[in-house]
Amino acid sequence: MSEADEASNYSYPATPRLASTPATPPISAPPSQLHSPSLSRSPLLAVGDQIEPAGKTPRTSTPRNGTPRNLTPRIRTPRFITPLGSPIRKALKLTRLDPQDAWLPITESRNGNAYYAAFHNLCAGIGIQALVLPVAFPILGWAWGIIFLTLTFIWQLYTLYILVQLHENVETGMRYSRYLQLCGATFGEKLAKWLAFLPLLQLSAGTCVALIIVGGTSMKTFYQITCGATCTSQPLTTVEWYLVFTCAAVVLSQLPNLNSIAGVSLVGAITAVGYCTIIWVVSVAKGRLPGVSYNPVQTDKEGIVRAVDVLNALGIVAFAFRGHNLTLEIQATMPSSEKHPSTVPMWKGVKFAYLIIATCLFPIAIGGYWAYGQLIPSGGMLVALIAFHATDTSRFILGLTSLFVIISAVSSFQIYGMPMFDDLESLYVRRKKKPCPWWLRPLIRTIYGFFMFFIAVAIPFLGSLAGLIGGIALPVTLAYPCFMWLKVKKPKAYGPIWWLNWALGVLGIILSVLVTASGIYVIADTGIKANFFDPQ
């Protein structure tokens, strides 16, 4: 064989023939996928990658030289960019999303649904603070107590609706997965830290400290009830019970993300509804105590003292409504697309959850005040049940109530600690540009849990500051969402919605300032039993 023949056997044509080289068909994707704002680890293809919606005939073009164009998509989309909804797509804009969200516990799983939203909102919305509601009624009286409780419930439900609607911004294509993130986008980063950082810290870390105090005390009570007067074993001290509760909470906190604790939130919600129902039913069934009076508390001092007492009572009512600092975080766990936005399942879960919450808070407040009147102790309904009905109520009911409080407190610790876990892990993620190693996440959560234990031991009288704490956290619930709506949605000036949000926002700020000032005045005037490092 000659060299020419041998070369011809191994040579290939430089240009493929039209008949023998079929064109690669374009990639087809459903329209919902084109507009998905998902923050997954592997974002979808970009606009310029020649994806055509399903059902449409792809456009083809042939170059002048007759060679067909290769339609195989080339992935040039940066890892931090995902497609947006149609209004922004038409403007050929792209949203810059943070890929590090896929490494953080709040947003690393986005398969939530309306049921998960209901579980989380129930667990976050019902807590031991609801049992303090009757303490406000001796100051406010029947009429004003019920009126303010009803108006506050409607008010906070409206601001909760605002937060749900603001989670996804259609104009910018952003999903605001954290309360502070929405504040920063609305008010600016610096102003948002001044306005919202301290209240959010109190609502997350402060609530975890309060849960350790309540849970540890309830463990001690549960032991005393079940062990009885004939028990000869040496009981643990209060600090040791705090430690036992903290260990249980830290072990449970090792669940990786917010979606993974949906079952924990369900158990916490069931037990919270359980102990609220048991307490008010037993209190009403036992009847009113002898000498109960419903006349508002009168004072011989000047009118300013009466005003301070009223404001402190309003702070207690406002403190009973919590969970708004977790609304955006809960909604961030849901998938979202143009046809199926996360707003729909989130609002369904919220409506169901707050229907249950209303059936717990109102009977607790009204039934508790009817049963105890002005004799209600400052510790609330749980303390009243033990103080007034320890002898005429079965040990099983008392023990079951304490057990429900313990389980609910451990469950609530997880959902209120999750924003703090997220913030602490984000310090590493944003600095190193990679996920936390397997050993760092458990270490962070363990250190956080035991630091909260240290604070609980150092400040065991935190419950006596309910009015002050309620005033500080009140804008997060009642004021800031109204201003966010005005800034983001820009309703028609001087229209009904414009006036409503301005009125509620300004009133919320004024009320917060007055309640906080009254709480400080009460502490300075009457004092508190500041038993530092000496839990009773």
Side-chain angles (χ1 to χ4, degrees):
M1 183 181 292
S2 64
E3 294 182 1
D5 294 334
E6 186 176 345
S8 64
N9 291 336
Y10 293 93
S11 62
Y12 294 93
T15 303
R17 298 177 182 177
L18 294 177
S20 61
T21 308
T24 304
I27 294 177
S28 177
S32 61
Q33 190 178 19
L34 290 174
H35 306 300
S36 173
S38 173
L39 289 176
S40 62
R41 291 176 182 261
S42 299
L44 302 174
L45 301 180
V47 181
D49 291 326
Q50 300 182 9
I51 294 181
E52 295 290 343
K56 291 187 178 181
T57 303
R59 295 179 298 174
T60 59
S61 60
T62 303
R64 295 179 180 179
N65 59 8
T67 303
R69 179 180 299 174
N70 187 2
L71 295 179
T72 302
R74 291 178 296 174
I75 307 303
R76 295 188 300 269
T77 307
R79 301 287 294 181
F80 56 84
I81 296 179
T82 57
L84 298 180
S86 56
I88 314 302
R89 179 179 289 275
K90 292 178 181 179
L92 297 179
K93 295 181 181 178
L94 294 175
T95 295
R96 296 181 179 273
L97 299 174
D98 194 347
Q100 298 166 359
D101 273 353
W103 304 331
L104 296 176
I106 287 178
T107 48
E108 73 177 7
S109 174
R110 292 184 183 270
N111 60 353
N113 51 49
Y115 298 102
Y116 286 13
F119 300 160
H120 290 316
N121 279 285
L122 269 173
C123 186
I126 305 178
I128 202 68
Q129 80 286 348
L131 303 181
V132 189
L133 274 174
V135 178
F137 275 64
I139 302 296
L140 301 176
W142 273 117
W144 287 110
I146 295 176
I147 289 173
F148 188 76
L149 178 61
T150 304
L151 292 178
T152 306
F153 180 82
I154 297 173
W155 188 352
Q156 62 87 31
L157 192 61
Y158 171 70
T159 56
L160 188 56
Y161 171 80
I162 288 178
L163 291 175
V164 171
Q165 298 300 317
L166 293 180
H167 173 73
E168 296 173 346
N169 192 322
V170 178
E171 296 180 357
T172 62
M174 290 292 295
R175 290 186 70 178
Y176 300 107
S177 301
R178 295 158 185 85
Y179 196 103
L180 191 60
Q181 182 184 3
L182 180 59
C183 281
T186 307
F187 305 129
E189 295 294 336
K190 292 184 178 180
L191 184 59
K193 291 181 179 179
W194 280 99
L195 294 177
F197 180 77
L198 180 60
L200 291 175
L201 180 65
Q202 183 272 319
L203 287 171
S204 293
T207 300
C208 290
V209 173
L211 290 171
I212 292 176
I213 296 173
V214 171
T217 305
S218 298
M219 281 185 168
K220 181 178 180 180
T221 303
F222 178 76
Y223 173 83
Q224 293 172 346
I225 292 173
T226 54
C227 189
T230 59
C231 185
T232 58
S233 61
Q234 182 67 26
L236 300 178
T237 64
T238 303
V239 175
E240 291 170 337
W241 283 118
Y242 286 5
L243 183 60
V244 172
F245 179 89
T246 303
C247 291
V250 167
V251 170
L252 200 56
S253 70
Q254 303 309 317
L255 292 172
N257 52 62
L258 189 55
N259 262 340
S260 66
I261 66 170
V264 176
S265 294
L266 174 60
V267 173
I270 293 174
T271 52
V273 173
Y275 73 70
C276 286
T277 304
I278 290 174
I279 290 176
W280 76 260
V281 167
V282 170
S283 299
V284 172
K286 295 298 180 180
R288 292 182 295 180
L289 296 178
V292 166
S293 173
Y294 303 117
N295 296 323
V297 176
Q298 302 293 333
T299 178
D300 297 333
K301 298 182 180 180
E302 298 179 359
I304 187 173
V305 177
R306 172 64 181 171
V308 167
D309 291 340
V310 170
L311 291 172
N312 199 43
L314 297 182
I316 293 175
V317 175
F319 181 64
F321 298 101
R322 65 179 189 179
H324 287 59
N325 60 308
L326 299 171
T327 301
L328 298 175
E329 285 81 349
I330 295 172
Q331 192 171 351
T333 64
M334 297 182 178
S336 185
S337 65
E338 185 182 16
K339 289 186 176 181
H340 304 285
S342 63
T343 302
V344 177
M346 179 64 181
W347 185 238
K348 287 182 180 179
V350 166
K351 288 189 293 185
F352 175 79
Y354 274 81
L355 176 63
I356 304 300
I357 291 173
T359 60
C360 292
L361 297 187
F362 282 87
I364 278 285
I366 297 174
Y369 185 54
W370 178 86
Y372 303 112
Q374 294 184 0
L375 300 178
I376 183 76
S378 59
M381 290 287 287
L382 185 60
V383 176
L385 180 68
I386 302 298
F388 297 118
H389 299 297
T391 57
D392 58 357
T393 304
S394 67
R395 290 171 55 189
F396 173 78
I397 295 296
L398 296 176
L400 184 63
T401 303
S402 298
L403 181 62
F404 279 178
V405 172
I406 296 168
I407 297 175
S408 176
V410 173
S411 303
S412 298
F413 186 95
Q414 311 310 315
I415 191 168
Y416 277 96
M418 195 60 71
M420 298 302 301
F421 302 156
D422 189 88
D423 289 341
L424 293 173
E425 290 184 30
S426 68
L427 298 178
Y428 177 90
V429 168
R430 301 188 189 285
R431 183 179 180 86
K432 299 295 185 180
K433 308 298 182 185
K434 61 181 181 179
C436 290
W438 66 269
W439 55 268
L440 185 58
R441 173 173 285 184
L443 180 63
I444 288 175
R445 300 184 180 193
T446 301
I447 293 175
Y448 172 81
F450 285 101
F451 181 71
M452 295 299 101
F453 162 75
F454 173 78
I455 300 298
V457 174
I459 314 176
F461 53 90
L462 191 64
S464 60
L465 305 176
L468 176 61
I469 295 174
I472 295 175
L474 192 145
V476 172
T477 302
L478 301 181
Y480 295 159
C482 298
F483 293 126
M484 293 177 188
W485 183 268
L486 291 169
K487 181 73 172 180
V488 175
K489 295 297 184 179
K490 296 180 175 59
K492 182 180 178 181
Y494 307 107
I497 300 299
W498 187 88
W499 280 113
L500 175 64
N501 284 280
W502 267 113
L504 293 179
V506 172
L507 182 60
I509 294 296
I510 294 175
L511 191 60
S512 173
V513 173
L514 293 177
V515 170
T516 304
S518 67
I520 297 174
Y521 178 87
V522 169
I523 294 174
D525 183 56
T526 62
I528 57 174
K529 186 179 180 181
N531 49 326
F532 293 100
F533 295 97
D534 186 23
Q536 301 298 323

